[in-house]
Amino acid sequence: MKKLVLVLALVFAGIMSANAQQLWIGGSANAAVQQNLTEFTIAPEIGYNFNSQWAIATGLGYTYHNENTAALGNFQYNRFIVSPYVRYIGGTIGKKFSLFCDLTYDIDILSPQMWRAGLQPGIAWMATEKFTAAFRFAFLGYDHFFSQGQGFFMNFALATPAGSTPAISIYYNF
């Protein structure tokens, strides 16, 4: 039995070293605190690079939003969002930067009628061999009562898969 466990451990170590930098984990956490608005989001992500151009990932996010307006009074909601996406890496700038576009589908688990699907272009900076930062700077797609109402829209702001507050995602590459 000990030999079997040792063999399985060696096989697992060999597989992990052969697939170095294929799996990554990370995400973002951010907050917005203004006079009449409090919002925070935590959005962990996990992904897998198939090759130098294609990756698949999913994010899980929680958003708390509390806003006090004259028209609506105290407006508060919680969101639990699942955001699977496919990433196409279109090119590189030098050795440290790459341009990508995510095809994403975001759905609010607490309110399944709230969803959006679209494209999120961005740029990634490989700070070291193990750490990468990703900046998503737009969203182009269809929104079904997720954040913009219902219909097609384009939003040029830093975007996160799991929320509307701007964020930068940090990843650890295995």
Side-chain angles (χ1 to χ4, degrees):
M1 183 67 178
K2 289 180 185 178
K3 291 180 183 179
L4 178 63
V5 171
L6 181 61
V7 169
L8 289 175
L10 290 173
V11 168
F12 180 74
I15 290 171
M16 290 304 288
S17 64
N19 290 327
Q21 296 190 7
Q22 297 297 312
L23 182 68
W24 44 270
I25 60 170
S28 62
N30 52 14
V33 178
Q34 299 172 1
Q35 183 176 2
N36 296 324
L37 171 69
T38 303
E39 181 179 70
F40 70 87
T41 300
I42 183 165
E45 296 178 44
I46 186 166
Y48 181 79
N49 293 328
F50 290 108
N51 55 39
S52 62
Q53 288 186 315
W54 291 98
I56 189 167
T58 191
L60 297 173
Y62 171 75
T63 298
Y64 169 79
H65 180 96
N66 187 357
E67 187 172 1
N68 192 1
T69 63
L72 297 175
N74 191 11
F75 178 66
Q76 177 178 316
Y77 64 82
N78 295 298
R79 284 189 176 163
F80 183 69
I81 300 163
V82 177
S83 303
Y85 61 90
V86 174
R87 175 170 290 173
Y88 175 73
I89 301 163
T92 59
I93 302 170
K95 293 182 181 182
K96 295 280 187 180
F97 293 92
S98 61
L99 301 172
F100 65 85
C101 187
D102 294 343
L103 174 61
T104 184
Y105 178 77
D106 305 335
I107 186 166
D108 188 340
I109 296 299
L110 301 176
S111 301
Q113 72 277 9
M114 297 173 61
W115 57 272
R116 72 179 183 178
L119 300 172
Q120 286 185 306
I123 187 167
W125 172 51
M126 190 169 183
T128 67
E129 286 186 25
K130 295 292 184 182
F131 288 99
T132 303
F135 311 91
R136 294 178 183 93
F137 51 81
F139 185 88
L140 170 65
Y142 186 82
D143 189 305
H144 191 265
F145 302 111
F146 193 82
S147 61
Q148 303 291 323
Q150 184 175 4
F152 288 95
F153 76 99
M154 185 181 307
N155 182 7
F156 285 100
L158 289 176
T160 65
S164 58
T165 306
I168 298 168
S169 298
I170 306 293
Y171 304 117
Y172 178 77
N173 305 305
F174 288 96

